[in-house]
Amino acid sequence: MSLKLTRRNALTGAAALGAASLLPNGFSRPAAAEDTTLGVFGPLPPDPAPPGAAKFAGAEFDAWKAANGADVTYDLVAWPQLHDRMATAFASGSAPWDVMYNCGWVPEFESFLLPFVDDLPKELVDDMPGSSFSTVTWNGKSYGAIFTLSLLTLFYNKEHLDEAGLGAPPKDWDEFLRYTKELTRDGRYGFVSNYGEPAGIGGTASYWMAFLQQAGGTMYAEDGSPAFNTEAGVAALQMMIDLQEAGTDPGSISYVGINDATNVLLSGRASMMMNWPFMWKPAQDPKGSQIVGKLAASVLPAGPAGTASIDGTDAWTIGKSTKDAEKARKLIEFYLDPVIQKKQALDTGWLPIRLSVLNDPDVQAAMPLAKVVLDQAQHPYDSFVTPDYNEISQAVGTEVQKALQGQKTAAEAIAEAESLASAIIARRG
Amino acid sequence: MSFASARGRGRGFRLLVVVGLILFVVWSAAPILWLIVSSLMQQQALIVQPPDFSPSNFTLENFTEVILSAASLGRGILNSFIVALFSTAVALVIGAPAAYALARLAVPRANALAFLVLATQMLPGIAIAIPLFLVISRLGLIDNVLALGMVYLSFNLPIVIWILRGFFLAIPEGIEKAAAVDGAGVVGTFLHIVLPISIPPLGAAAVFAFVEAWNEFFFALILTRQDAQTVPLVIAQFAGQYQTLFGQMMAAATISIAPVIALAIIFRNQIVRGFADGMMKG
């Protein structure tokens, strides 16, 4: 909003203040149904932006606004800046938004959010994977609705596998290691990842959490205390170390964002990586990809306990200071409507969260990946978000990095990581 | 040692100096050169290793897409201009007399005051982010370019005062005394004697303040929404969660640095003289 500080504006403002103070309810006049304006805070496209911000379902969005007597204004920033903008606004008590994008930060911002999931229609909730609510639930209350099924799966270059005589993708850890070794040839690497940033969803710690679940481990005990210094925790890290030695791109330890690692795969310099569904669409664009038509995906190779993954946790939440909680919830319901979800998938490349839309033949035909991610969703996936997720993942991720660089053994790193995590949780109280 | 004195040392030494200077220039200019080259390349040519410099991979598409699709770039540049110009101009108008007063007038505890001015720069930005956001928000000035300009002014003013104070301290007092003998008061001496000989340091301080405001990111991020976004925020929009449009980002950055480079070229003499004078006299 721009505000011109002119004498005329000052006088007009003063007159308006005087008039408003004469109203029976002062400033608290309830907004008429037809003049509600909802403020939505979210990421800029091509990250998962909603209708009206990204170019899809524009007509449906206009129709929804007309039918609900609501206008919607968007405050969009680049994804990497979302968290800091929200944290500052919440901390100062001046968050102006009704609906907000969240990504694993629900426990951290819990006190500023409104639980609303119990009020969602049953048919909607039943049409979403039950696990999708785990990362938006804290202290028994659900504060958000995931709107895209974004699970880490295995992406691989079919051509490279065919050349190496490896028909199907690796099914378990042993095959994963063997494939990585055999695919490391001709100046390229069998596997690539981004281990440069320890913290956050998509950081080094989160990759280890996927391996941890594949090994049958978990991050926390029932009482919330760290419980990962176990055989499974060490085995998960040892698998990452072995993968490194088998033929992971050595640059992986310095690639900070998944963009860097994705570019290695898209340029044909690596054969496999763990990545998110969104990379499917850019990989088919010849402007930015040298492996058009060569990419395939499968569920992550199984560890001793089977396959398991982590989720991207992209969710819509409602702020406690919302002007109209009901309309804010209805807007989220609109974002999750099957028609909108289908357009979201087909037009933007972001998979839907609704199971019915994931099973839609049009969606599966346009995005063969949908079936793979749906399959991955049948298995455990947990990103273990907590209010101090950033701190804990920073501590754990840093220890994992040390082990990957040979500075510590897997057992030493995991023991130290649990000790650091315990201290962080003790401070939380 | 000056180049002139090196001239007398024989051909080999001069050659060494020239090679050293060339290396230094290449080293300094390389990031800008890479910025421009990558802004002209297709994304797929940038992600291979080594980058594919085939002529067919060079394109102006990044620029056309940035200019046509990101209307926010033009608005960002305009906002940056307003914010940078405002904070620089006001910093000079307030900072120059303040610096002169601290350098020349009988201000009690002038050195302590000058240190206090500098001390405001010792707090990391993050420490004042929330209180500042709170104040700006309560005043209803979030997403207002002039409010952002005021914030930048508070950062630029101390720097301007310190740059100019050093210069004013180095001016021979005899010049001001001569003006006083001719009947000039403090204000007259400052306006008619001191300011005219202070153009180089004023230029240097102005460019410094302008560039600081032009490049600032963090406070622009938290204090703006859509209307008052400055150019660094617009450039950052090309880096997403899963994808970075390198070519377009570089094209936007190339466009955004053009005014600053033009400014540096236009005022290069003043900048060099300003900093050189400050170093010799300060």
Side-chain angles (χ1 to χ4, degrees):
Chain A
M1 182 192 74
S2 292
L3 182 65
K4 285 184 181 167
L5 291 173
T6 63
R7 194 189 305 174
R8 179 182 296 227
N9 282 351
L11 289 171
T12 311
L17 284 171
S21 65
L22 295 175
L23 288 172
N25 293 323
F27 289 107
S28 63
R29 182 180 69 89
E34 62 274 14
D35 65 6
T36 304
T37 298
L38 296 172
V40 179
F41 180 65
L44 280 160
D47 282 320
K55 286 177 186 164
F56 74 100
E60 289 85 349
F61 185 49
D62 290 340
W64 182 87
K65 287 189 286 186
N68 287 274
D71 196 9
V72 178
T73 58
Y74 284 112
D75 182 7
L76 309 171
V77 297
W79 195 92
Q81 280 91 52
L82 284 167
H83 178 271
D84 288 357
R85 268 281 294 275
M86 284 173 77
T88 313
F90 283 139
S92 65
S94 307
W97 314 291
D98 298 279
V99 173
M100 283 151 282
Y101 169 90
N102 255 285
C103 181
W105 311 314
V106 165
E108 180 184 349
F109 296 140
E110 180 208 9
S111 56
F112 305 104
L113 302 175
L114 201 67
F116 69 94
V117 173
D118 290 346
D119 297 325
L120 288 174
K122 187 175 179 306
E123 55 89 20
L124 167 58
V125 176
D126 289 348
D127 198 24
M128 294 166 73
S131 306
S132 72
F133 289 101
S134 67
T135 53
V136 291
T137 301
W138 189 250
N139 287 333
K141 291 179 182 170
S142 294
Y143 296 91
I146 302 282
F147 61 92
T148 176
L149 186 60
S150 187
L151 300 186
L152 210 56
T153 56
L154 186 76
F155 287 81
Y156 60 93
N157 187 316
K158 278 184 294 187
E159 194 176 72
H160 291 181
L161 263 68
D162 289 345
E163 281 170 12
L166 305 164
K171 290 184 205 62
D172 55 36
W173 282 8
D174 287 341
E175 280 192 3
F176 198 7
L177 289 171
R178 183 166 63 83
Y179 277 40
T180 301
K181 205 168 186 173
E182 289 183 24
L183 289 164
T184 302
R185 55 159 81 177
D186 306 327
R188 62 187 188 234
Y189 295 98
F191 183 70
V192 64
S193 191
N194 55 301
Y195 296 142
E197 168 61 49
I201 305 275
T204 321
S206 71
Y207 289 121
W208 169 76
M209 287 175 195
F211 285 109
L212 172 70
Q213 293 172 80
Q214 291 161 16
T218 184
M219 278 292 287
Y220 302 107
E222 293 262 316
D223 64 357
S225 60
F228 56 83
N229 186 14
T230 56
E231 267 185 41
V234 175
L237 181 50
Q238 191 58 53
M239 173 61 189
M240 292 172 78
I241 295 168
D242 293 345
L243 205 55
Q244 189 88 352
E245 288 165 0
T248 298
D249 175 0
S252 298
I253 198 69
S254 63
Y255 298 148
V256 171
I258 195 149
N259 306 339
D260 299 328
T262 301
N263 284 336
V264 176
L265 191 78
L266 295 188
S267 66
R269 286 183 284 138
S271 303
M272 299 186 288
M273 81 176 294
M274 291 156 71
N275 208 327
W276 309 91
F278 180 66
M279 83 157 290
W280 183 264
K281 203 171 178 188
Q284 312 308 325
D285 180 0
K287 277 186 182 172
S289 167
Q290 302 213 333
I291 60 165
V292 176
K294 298 175 187 172
L295 192 72
S298 72
V299 294
L300 292 174
T307 184
S309 184
I310 55 172
D311 58 341
T313 72
D314 306 280
W316 291 116
T317 56
I318 298 175
K320 256 186 183 162
S321 59
T322 177
K323 298 178 285 294
D324 190 331
E326 194 183 340
K327 273 195 183 156
R329 194 193 73 238
K330 281 188 173 170
L331 180 62
I332 293 174
E333 287 173 22
F334 166 74
Y335 291 159
L336 294 169
D337 182 273
V339 174
I340 306 305
Q341 285 265 291
K342 187 171 174 177
K343 291 202 168 197
Q344 170 187 300
L346 298 179
D347 294 354
T348 72
W350 288 97
L351 287 179
I353 189 68
R354 293 189 71 138
L355 298 168
S356 59
V357 186
L358 277 161
N359 281 307
D360 185 298
D362 293 341
V363 171
Q364 294 206 348
M367 302 184 70
L369 178 73
K371 214 169 175 187
V372 173
V373 182
L374 199 53
D375 190 6
Q376 186 76 64
Q378 309 304 314
H379 302 277
Y381 63 90
D382 194 338
S383 292
F384 302 109
V385 293
T386 58
D388 30 34
Y389 177 74
N390 267 350
E391 267 184 283
I392 287 176
S393 55
Q394 176 78 30
V396 173
T398 304
E399 289 304 312
V400 171
Q401 284 177 331
K402 286 177 184 171
L404 290 172
Q405 292 174 95
Q407 296 167 12
K408 282 184 176 180
T409 65
E412 287 167 352
I414 292 301
E416 179 63 16
E418 180 160 301
S419 160
L420 292 167
S422 297
I424 293 166
I425 291 169
R427 279 202 301 274
R428 187 206 308 163
Chain B
M1 179 188 298
S2 70
F3 189 73
S5 63
R7 204 174 277 164
R9 297 239 181 163
R11 220 171 147 185
F13 186 77
R14 285 209 304 273
L15 191 68
L16 200 68
V17 171
V18 170
V19 169
L21 286 173
I22 289 171
L23 283 176
F24 177 74
V25 170
V26 170
W27 177 263
S28 305
I32 294 173
L33 192 67
W34 176 241
L35 170 79
I36 294 166
V37 169
S38 53
S39 72
L40 292 167
M41 288 179 72
Q42 293 176 357
Q43 175 92 352
Q44 62 146 319
L46 281 169
I47 63 171
V48 292
Q49 206 171 28
D52 185 353
F53 293 111
S54 312
S56 59
N57 285 327
F58 281 84
T59 174
L60 288 173
E61 203 174 294
N62 293 325
F63 284 92
T64 51
E65 283 191 22
V66 161
I67 292 166
L68 295 177
S69 67
S72 51
L73 181 63
R75 194 179 56 205
I77 289 175
L78 181 66
N79 286 337
S80 285
F81 252 122
I82 295 170
V83 168
L85 217 54
F86 171 79
S87 64
T88 302
V90 179
L92 287 181
V93 169
I94 301 174
Y100 185 67
L102 288 171
R104 280 290 192 252
L105 304 187
V107 177
R109 299 181 191 279
N111 283 337
L113 272 177
F115 179 76
L116 209 61
V117 167
L118 191 66
T120 61
Q121 295 299 293
M122 293 175 184
L123 287 172
I126 191 76
I128 58 166
I130 290 171
L132 192 63
F133 181 87
L134 206 57
V135 170
I136 301 284
S137 171
R138 295 283 157 84
L139 290 171
L141 294 175
I142 291 288
D143 208 22
N144 182 296
V145 276
L146 289 184
L148 192 61
M150 290 297 286
V151 171
Y152 289 170
L153 174 63
S154 70
F155 306 143
N156 276 338
L157 192 54
I159 304 290
V160 167
I161 290 174
W162 265 80
I163 290 176
L164 295 180
R165 181 175 175 263
F167 179 81
F168 293 148
L169 280 171
I171 295 175
E173 286 188 61
I175 295 174
E176 290 152 280
K177 282 178 182 165
V181 169
D182 288 344
V186 173
V187 175
T189 305
F190 175 68
L191 289 178
H192 302 300
I193 307 295
V194 175
L195 274 189
I197 61 168
S198 305
I199 298 299
L202 283 169
V207 169
F208 185 85
F210 188 92
V211 172
E212 283 289 299
W214 184 270
N215 290 334
E216 204 283 332
F217 180 82
F218 179 66
F219 287 101
L221 171 69
I222 62 168
L223 297 176
T224 65
R225 298 273 181 268
Q226 305 295 311
D227 293 343
Q229 279 193 339
T230 53
V231 77
L233 294 181
V234 179
I235 295 171
Q237 289 174 3
F238 294 96
Q241 185 181 11
Y242 299 110
Q243 203 183 11
T244 300
L245 303 170
F246 292 111
Q248 293 184 27
M249 181 185 249
M250 297 304 152
T254 302
I255 293 169
S256 77
I257 62 167
V260 182
I261 289 180
L263 206 65
I265 291 171
I266 293 166
F267 293 106
R268 64 187 183 280
N269 289 337
Q270 280 83 353
I271 297 168
V272 172
R273 274 179 56 203
F275 281 119
D277 287 355
M279 274 188 289
M280 282 188 284
K281 296 171 186 170

